[in-house]
Amino acid sequence: MIRSVRVESWVLGFLRNPLTWLVAVEVAFALATSVMIPATARWATTYAGASLLAGVADLAAGIGLMVAGTAVLFHRRRPTIGIVAVLAGAAWLSADWIGWQDGNPIVRTMAMLAAPFFLPLILHLVAAYRSGAASDRISQLAVSISYAAVSVVTLLAVLFRNPLTDPNCWNNCTDDVLLVRNQPNLQPALEVARPASGLVVGIALIVLVALRLARATPTERRRIYPVFVPALFVGATATAQTVLLLAMPREGPQIAQFAVLFQLRSWTAALLALGLVWVVIRDRRSRSAIARLARDLGDAPQPGSLAPALGGAMNDPTLQVAYWIPRSGRLVDGAGQTVPAPVSGDQRTVTRIARGGRTVAFVVQDASSADGLRLEREMGPAATLALENERLRVELLSQVEDLRASRARIVAKGDAERARLERDLHDGGQQRLILLLHELGVAREQAVLERNDDLADRLDVARRETSELVSDLRELAHGIHPAVLTERGLRAALLSLADTAPLPVKVQGSAAGRFPRGAEEAAYAIVASALEQAARVGSEGMTVSIIASDGALMIEIDGAGSGPFPHIADRVASAEGRLAIGGSTLEIWIPCA
């Protein structure tokens, strides 16, 4: 009983759906075109009736466009494109009803009104493809002009041209229920205006497609190829046919050029329909891929793996994810690096992803890859949870990065402060003591000249004490920050350090040039710490090798004694370098970028 109620409910819902009735009308129209016309007419003056291959090509184009348009409508996206595609298919098949000899005159006349609108409808489909409406003023103007031009020419032909008096008539030379009055004077103008209007619309279609392909981003170009390339050929074949009509007004399938162009137009229109169906299939696959995103990534995806996975699901390799860190009020990428706030534009769109009312991230993607609202709706709770988990992981990485940057700033500030102290001691207290030493020497000489031996001895003692104080102050300043490091570079500073070391130190290597100030200061501090450790453990000697390699400073210290080396490790980490310890040998890598 319950099952029958469900079936009845489904049937009622199906019958109440307007798309159901549209499908029914399309099926009836397609069956009537492919079955009724051949069965009821003694002959049909159409391209489709010329051969079996032409009939297959004709139905593939017309029915294909109607089916593709219906698929777009069922897909519940871009309804304008779906409706336009259905109408384009109906306009294509209307040409078969024009040639329905012995058929209903009203039907044949209505078909004469509908068939010329096939090309403007294709132009409208291309112009509306991106957003469901003509996407810019030029496209809107082109579509409006094409509809207006074809409407005027078609109405004039139906209202004031008697097909019996048309010397070039070939498909319907008898029926026109809307004929008001035959105007023979209009005949020559209409013979030119009808193909000319088609020529204008065909050229407009070619230009519009070419411009869209040229201006599209690589991601958008990949997405629109299935529709735009066939549309380009539809415009090219239609343009070729109108040019042929201007040269040969007498049309018909018996003429080889027209028959070949009909085949080309038919199959390119069928390919256009196939492209629309492929777009629907691709979008459904993208939606399913987004829904499976959390499962595919697993419970603990690698940091930074979510953006590529989401980009793959959306067919957009340029997709980026910016995570919101509420504690610091900034946006970071998958590696925890700060990124600027994303801004939507003509080619990029920004979608806010929220969970529980809280902003989780912003997804920046190609504007053609998907509708932002659709992305937020279709990500689902599982995928959003995966995004939230990655945001938490990225927040932790961001905090680690902030800590690393803070440590580097503290070390740099300390180095700068030591350099300032060394400079102040050298230029201030040390110079004043040297001046005092000179004045004491002058006073002692004066005491000697005056034969004041007691004063001379006391001044001599003061000079020796002052000289020792200058030496101590110089050593203190050198320990705080060696001036030779700033003036002559790392190698000279290490040689100076070796000269005053309490154990033999050999400095070797080919890196004689200058390095960035931060790298030189870090390297000097590391070698000085290693020398202290070596002296403390009673090492017999130490060898220091400095090498420049691939934008980095390599330092090898042999004889530093046994570890651990916490101060050296901290200093290497502050410089974002690497440290390898092997017994009493240290290998340090410091970046110089």
Side-chain angles (χ1 to χ4, degrees), residues 116 142 191 231 260 264 354 413 432 438 461 507 521:
E191 290 297 328
V260 171
L264 292 175
K413 180 67 175 177
R432 293 175 65 183
H438 174 71
V461 171
V507 178
E521 291 177 346

Side-chain angles (χ1 to χ4, degrees), residues 280-293:
V280 172
I281 295 173
R282 184 186 60 198
D283 285 352
R284 287 187 177 276
R285 289 174 59 188
S286 295
R287 182 164 54 190
S288 299
I290 294 172
R292 297 193 308 267
L293 188 60

Side-chain angles (χ1 to χ4, degrees), residues 249-539:
R250 184 72 176 180
E251 184 183 359
Q254 71 280 2
I255 302 175
Q257 295 93 322
F258 285 108
V260 171
L261 283 174
F262 174 76
Q263 289 283 347
L264 292 175
R265 283 191 297 122
S266 300
W267 292 115
T268 52
L271 287 176
L272 175 59
L274 190 62
L276 287 173
V277 173
W278 168 246
V279 168
V280 172
I281 295 173
R282 184 186 60 198
D283 285 352
R284 287 187 177 276
R285 289 174 59 188
S286 295
R287 182 164 54 190
S288 299
I290 294 172
R292 297 193 308 267
L293 188 60
R295 186 191 67 190
D296 294 342
L297 289 174
D299 296 331
Q302 292 296 322
S305 62
L306 190 55
L310 187 59
M314 298 298 298
N315 296 303
D316 181 7
T318 66
L319 184 143
Q320 299 173 338
V321 179
Y323 300 94
W324 173 247
I325 309 300
R327 179 177 299 179
S328 58
R330 56 195 178 93
L331 292 169
V332 299
D333 59 13
Q337 300 292 329
T338 302
V339 295
V343 180
S344 296
D346 293 337
Q347 296 183 340
R348 306 291 287 172
T349 183
V350 180
T351 303
R352 173 182 174 267
I353 306 298
R355 184 169 182 265
R358 296 179 296 104
T359 298
V360 175
F362 293 92
V363 178
V364 187
Q365 60 190 125
D366 193 285
S368 68
S369 62
D371 181 330
L373 295 177
R374 185 177 75 93
L375 173 63
E376 185 177 15
R377 182 177 66 250
E378 293 176 359
M379 280 195 67
T384 305
L385 179 59
L387 203 63
E388 170 70 4
N389 290 339
E390 175 141 323
R391 188 199 68 80
L392 293 174
R393 185 180 290 108
V394 167
E395 184 174 10
L396 180 60
L397 288 175
S398 176
Q399 292 175 358
V400 172
E401 182 63 28
D402 289 344
L403 180 60
R404 183 183 296 112
S406 175
R407 180 172 58 183
R409 288 194 300 270
I410 291 173
V411 171
K413 180 67 175 177
D415 289 340
E417 189 64 21
R418 282 194 295 272
R420 185 188 65 81
L421 288 174
E422 187 276 334
R423 186 173 56 253
D424 290 347
L425 288 174
H426 182 274
D427 297 340
Q430 184 176 332
Q431 295 299 322
R432 293 175 65 183
L433 287 175
I434 292 175
L435 180 61
L436 176 61
L437 185 62
H438 174 71
E439 293 296 331
L440 289 174
V442 173
R444 180 183 177 281
E445 293 297 329
Q446 184 66 29
V448 171
L449 291 176
E450 295 177 356
R451 294 186 175 86
N452 191 343
D453 297 334
D454 183 54
L455 179 59
D457 292 340
R458 294 173 62 185
L459 289 173
D460 194 43
V461 171
R463 286 186 68 243
R464 286 196 302 270
E465 293 291 337
T466 304
S467 179
E468 292 176 2
L469 180 58
V470 170
S471 298
D472 292 343
L473 189 59
R474 184 179 292 111
E475 291 180 4
L476 175 62
H478 185 82
I480 293 175
H481 183 85
V484 66
L485 178 64
T486 303
E487 296 171 359
R488 298 176 55 191
L490 177 62
R491 184 179 180 84
L494 292 181
L495 290 173
S496 176
L497 181 65
D499 290 339
T500 59
L503 67 154
V505 176
K506 182 180 180 181
V507 178
Q508 61 186 20
S510 58
R514 297 301 302 265
F515 298 93
R517 179 176 177 178
E520 289 187 338
E521 291 177 346
Y524 183 86
I526 290 169
V527 174
S529 297
L531 182 59
E532 291 179 4
Q533 178 77 356
R536 188 162 46 248
V537 300
S539 177

Side-chain angles (χ1 to χ4, degrees), residues 14 20 29 85 131 138 149 156 162 167 169 244 308 311 346 367 417 460 474 498 534 536 544 550 564 572-573 581 593:
F14 182 75
T20 303
F29 185 68
S131 59
I138 295 178
L156 288 175
N162 190 339
C169 177
L244 188 60
D346 293 337
E417 189 64 21
D460 194 43
R474 184 179 292 111
R536 188 162 46 248
V544 179
D550 297 331
V572 172
I581 302 175

Side-chain angles (χ1 to χ4, degrees), residues 52 63 84 92 118 147 179 222 261 298 344 368 429 437 475 494 501 504:
L52 177 61
I63 297 177
V84 170
W92 177 273
F118 169 74
Y147 279 131
L179 179 63
R222 285 192 297 269
L261 283 174
S344 296
S368 68
L437 185 62
E475 291 180 4
L494 292 181

